[in-house]
Amino acid sequence: MEKILVTGACGQLGSELTADLQSIYGTDNVIATDIVEPPEALSDGPFERLDVMDRPALAGAAERHGITTIYHLAALLSAKAEQQIGKAWDLNMQGLLNVLELARDGRFTKVFWPSSIAVFGPDARKEQTPQNSPCNPTTVYGISKLAGEQWCSYYHRRFGVDVRSLRYPGLIGYKSLPGGGTTDYAVDIFYKALAGERFSCFLESQSRLPMMYMEDAVKATIDLMRADPASISVRTSYNLAAISFTPEELAFEIQKHLPEFEISYEPDYRQQIAESWPDSIDDTAAREDWEWSPVYDLEKMVGDMLKNLEKELKQGIP
Ligand code: AKB
């Protein structure tokens, strides 16, 4: 039986992934950890306050709970990282190295670590960016993700650590808010639309970015972690794709449900980050190696998001 520890469990991906892992592996077999207090959604299962920068504390938690698998999600996202360069580098790198070192010592038999489309820079092909494109990121977040991918590959090659990773696009979900990313607009827009307010977008109308509905992101993560190790040919991080759209296209799709909805565009420093990233991603390796296939397109995602977020907001969450 797997015993799982999730770091950054209160984050956008963490809170949803933890809930799904609990329903698959049993609530008591998934230990959620974070440096902040848990939200209501995580209050059913075991939770510990844990700072991934504190390696002895991480080792202690692994020992105490007999952990086999870690999903190490704690990190600073792209926009926040540009404002806290040193902190982003320390957390995104040292946190990962602490996990990989403990895995090398045998404390974890399997590791998941999230990378991002941010590993690509302006010189990568924009459309259908291939798995092995040039990676010359122009953000501190991208640099930390690229270095992290190389550390994962190194620990796998040199020490046999079973570490697996995905290059997530922007993630969209209704259960929790993202915190500090360049793709956050694609979640914020739904809150304004349902509140009947005009949305001011911090990206230009035509900024196309790769995105994914949370259901698909959680499914991809769990499928990758359940895949036969022999089928995993990429030990840096897999390209992963579902939908690509511009703010204007997203607004148009929302207007099909809420015709009064209005959007305006006031690009800020995040526009430059978005311009350095791909428009769409080629995820052939993930499809071939472990049969990845997304379920949600733009139309399906918007319909589901509006329906469920409206329900959550009526109940006062999040
Ligand atoms: C961000 O915008 O920083 C993240 C990402 C694409 O990794 N959502």
Side-chain angles (χ1 to χ4, degrees), residues 3-11 13-22 29-35 42 46-50 52 58 61 67 69-74 99 108 112:
K3 198 89 198 238
I4 295 168
L5 187 134
V6 182
T7 75
C10 298
L13 173 62
S15 49
E16 300 221 19
L17 182 63
T18 301
D20 274 48
L21 289 171
Q22 283 172 342
N29 291 320
V30 182
I31 317 298
T33 73
D34 208 306
I35 52 166
L42 290 182
F47 180 88
E48 278 194 20
R49 287 282 278 271
L50 181 69
V52 289
L58 187 56
I67 299 297
T69 304
I70 182 166
Y71 290 75
H72 169 48
L73 309 180
V99 169
F108 310 118
F112 177 81

Side-chain angles (χ1 to χ4, degrees), residues 119-126 133-138 276:
V119 294
F120 299 115
D123 59 342
R125 201 170 82 198
K126 283 267 170 218
S133 298
C135 285
N136 292 300
T138 51
S276 74

Side-chain angles (χ1 to χ4, degrees), residues 77-78 116-117 141 168-171 181-183 277:
L77 295 184
S78 59
S116 162
I117 53 163
Y141 175 68
Y168 291 115
L171 301 182
T182 304
T183 57
W277 291 352

Side-chain angles (χ1 to χ4, degrees), residues 23-312:
S23 60
I24 296 170
Y25 296 99
T27 307
D28 291 341
N29 291 320
V30 182
I31 317 298
T33 73
D34 208 306
I35 52 166
V36 296
E37 283 298 325
E40 182 70 25
L42 290 182
S43 58
D44 286 350
F47 180 88
E48 278 194 20
R49 287 282 278 271
L50 181 69
D51 183 352
V52 289
M53 300 297 278
D54 185 347
R55 195 188 297 178
L58 187 56
E63 181 89 44
R64 240 183 356 271
H65 297 287
I67 299 297
T68 58
T69 304
I70 182 166
Y71 290 75
H72 169 48
L73 309 180
L76 235 57
L77 295 184
S78 59
K80 230 185 211 170
E82 286 308 295
Q83 290 164 337
Q84 300 178 56
I85 299 174
K87 185 175 171 195
W89 180 256
D90 288 349
L91 174 63
N92 293 6
M93 274 305 75
Q94 197 52 54
L96 173 61
L97 286 169
N98 286 345
V99 169
L100 290 173
E101 269 298 300
L102 292 174
R104 174 189 168 188
D105 279 355
R107 309 257 182 172
F108 310 118
T109 48
K110 236 197 256 178
V111 176
F112 177 81
W113 175 77
S115 185
S116 162
I117 53 163
V119 294
F120 299 115
D123 59 342
R125 201 170 82 198
K126 283 267 170 218
E127 301 290 332
Q128 291 296 305
T129 309
Q131 176 72 39
N132 293 314
S133 298
C135 285
N136 292 300
T138 51
T139 61
V140 64
Y141 175 68
I143 297 169
S144 73
K145 289 297 179 189
L146 181 59
E149 287 189 1
Q150 293 302 320
W151 277 124
C152 289
S153 171
Y154 179 87
Y155 271 76
H156 174 70
R157 208 172 42 247
R158 175 118 197 249
F159 306 117
V161 171
D162 187 356
V163 51
R164 306 174 185 200
S165 176
L166 296 170
R167 288 173 176 160
Y168 291 115
L171 301 182
I172 300 160
Y174 58 87
K175 290 190 189 149
S176 56
L177 285 161
T182 304
T183 57
D184 292 10
Y185 91 85
V187 178
D188 300 342
I189 191 171
F190 287 95
Y191 284 79
K192 291 287 182 194
L194 284 169
E197 292 173 25
R198 168 196 281 262
F199 178 63
S200 164
C201 183
F202 59 71
L203 296 185
E204 281 170 5
S205 63
Q206 302 306 314
S207 288
R208 184 174 301 282
L209 285 171
M211 300 277 185
M212 181 175 288
Y213 198 39
M214 191 59 86
E215 264 73 355
D216 275 335
V218 167
K219 178 172 116 51
T221 311
I222 292 171
D223 285 358
L224 172 66
M225 288 300 274
R226 288 176 135 181
D228 179 349
S231 68
I232 311 286
S233 68
V234 177
R235 290 292 183 166
T236 48
S237 189
Y238 279 97
N239 274 10
L240 189 72
I243 333 170
S244 274
F245 55 77
T246 65
E248 190 177 73
E249 287 165 354
L250 178 58
F252 183 69
E253 198 56 45
I254 292 173
Q255 281 159 348
K256 289 185 188 165
H257 300 259
L258 302 166
E260 308 290 297
F261 174 61
E262 284 181 50
I263 184 166
S264 58
Y265 302 94
E266 278 136 80
D268 64 16
Y269 71 99
R270 288 168 279 195
Q271 178 61 35
Q272 228 183 335
I273 302 178
E275 276 168 25
S276 74
W277 291 352
D279 288 1
S280 60
I281 296 287
D282 176 354
D283 60 359
T284 306
R287 287 171 186 266
E288 287 180 355
D289 286 3
W290 42 278
E291 295 173 13
W292 157 245
S293 172
V295 171
Y296 287 84
D297 60 14
L298 179 59
E299 191 185 337
K300 202 165 171 203
M301 182 275 284
V302 169
D304 205 72
M305 186 73 189
L306 285 171
K307 187 181 74 195
N308 286 300
L309 184 58
E310 191 173 21
K311 246 191 260 164
E312 298 270 313

